[in-house]
Amino acid sequence: MSSFRSLPRIGVVLALAMLSGCGMQPTHDDHQWAATMPAEQSAAPPTDGSIYHADQGMELFNDARAHRVGDILTITLVESTQASKKATTNTSKKDASTISSPTILGHALKVGGKTADSSLNANRAFDGSGDSSQSNQLSGSITVTVAQRLSNGNLMVRGEKMVTINQGQEQIRIAGIVRPQDILQDNSVPSTRVADAQIGYTGKGALADANTQGWLSRFFSSKWMPY
């Protein structure tokens, strides 16, 4: 009979586990990472007798580096960070107090034939230490498009690269703001010069699934578990 009473509790636990598992799965809007198309410009009517038209896009002497919405730009990934922290704390304290027996009419107070002296000794000590370290490295390149040209001339760029090999899929996404002065002659810029950079490198497929905890394991490792 008790086993039937525990069924609702098990159902509540499983429901919470499913909700926590769904909450831990990040969702991405693929449309926001789509390539940005250049703005279409209406062509002016041709003038008779003219050889060169400015609206025909004949850029003979212009800089080939990205500077307009829809232009492409190659970002060289040179991310490398390393952080470490170490803390050690040692404290100790020793207290000793002695209280003599009170004197009444010139005679020390005695209890059971013994002087009513009292003493207090206390020793406290604490030793603590902690170490933490983290490092990451990402290298490669990805070509993105200019999504917006800001009023100060800086370029907001974003893009993604997807590589599928066998049953696995690798995805690289990057977004940020680039100064035109930081773009090199070969129309590339290192990722360390991208402001407000958002870089993501994820994988999908059989290999990524084998490297991921199941929803029940994620629930027992989540903050919903009291212990």
Side-chain angles (χ1 to χ4, degrees):
M1 190 71 178
S2 60
S3 60
F4 289 102
R5 293 178 181 176
S6 62
L7 288 178
R9 298 180 181 177
I10 297 176
V12 172
V13 172
L14 292 177
L16 291 174
M18 294 178 66
L19 290 176
S20 64
C22 295
M24 295 178 185
Q25 291 292 340
T27 57
H28 300 284
D29 185 8
D30 293 336
H31 297 288
Q32 67 178 352
W33 295 96
T36 303
M37 298 294 105
E40 296 184 359
Q41 299 179 356
S42 57
T47 303
D48 295 336
S50 176
I51 300 176
Y52 170 76
H53 297 281
D55 295 331
Q56 292 181 353
M58 296 178 61
E59 300 181 353
L60 300 178
F61 304 101
N62 288 351
D63 194 348
R65 292 177 293 184
H67 61 280
R68 299 171 302 186
V69 174
D71 287 352
I72 63 174
L73 174 67
T74 299
I75 298 179
T76 306
L77 301 174
V78 288
E79 296 297 319
S80 179
T81 59
Q82 184 174 0
S84 62
K85 183 178 181 181
K86 182 178 182 180
T88 303
T89 303
N90 297 318
T91 61
S92 63
K93 187 175 183 180
K94 183 178 181 179
D95 295 331
S97 301
T98 302
I99 303 175
S100 301
S101 62
T103 302
I104 302 175
L105 299 178
H107 299 281
L109 178 64
K110 295 183 178 181
V111 178
K114 297 181 179 180
T115 305
D117 296 334
S118 61
S119 61
L120 176 65
N121 295 319
N123 294 321
R124 294 186 296 272
F126 171 79
D127 293 330
S129 62
D131 295 313
S132 176
S133 62
Q134 182 176 357
S135 62
N136 68 78
Q137 185 174 359
L138 181 63
S139 60
S141 62
I142 177 175
T143 301
V144 299
T145 56
V146 178
Q148 182 180 356
R149 183 182 177 91
L150 304 181
S151 58
N152 60 356
N154 291 341
L155 307 176
M156 182 176 294
V157 299
R158 64 168 177 258
E160 65 178 352
K161 176 191 290 186
M162 301 178 64
V163 180
T164 302
I165 302 176
N166 200 358
Q167 297 182 7
Q169 184 181 84
E170 302 294 327
Q171 184 180 64
I172 303 176
R173 286 176 171 177
I174 185 171
I177 300 175
V178 176
R179 294 194 316 165
Q181 299 91 324
D182 295 331
I183 302 177
L184 303 179
Q185 293 295 332
D186 60 352
N187 196 37
S188 67
V189 61
S191 60
T192 54
R193 306 296 294 179
V194 179
D196 195 22
Q198 301 178 28
I199 304 175
Y201 180 60
T202 58
K204 299 179 181 179
L207 185 59
D209 293 341
N211 242 356
T212 306
Q213 283 186 333
W215 59 268
L216 189 58
S217 299
R218 290 198 303 271
F219 169 73
F220 285 112
S221 301
S222 67
K223 62 181 180 180
W224 299 103
M225 292 301 298
Y227 302 105

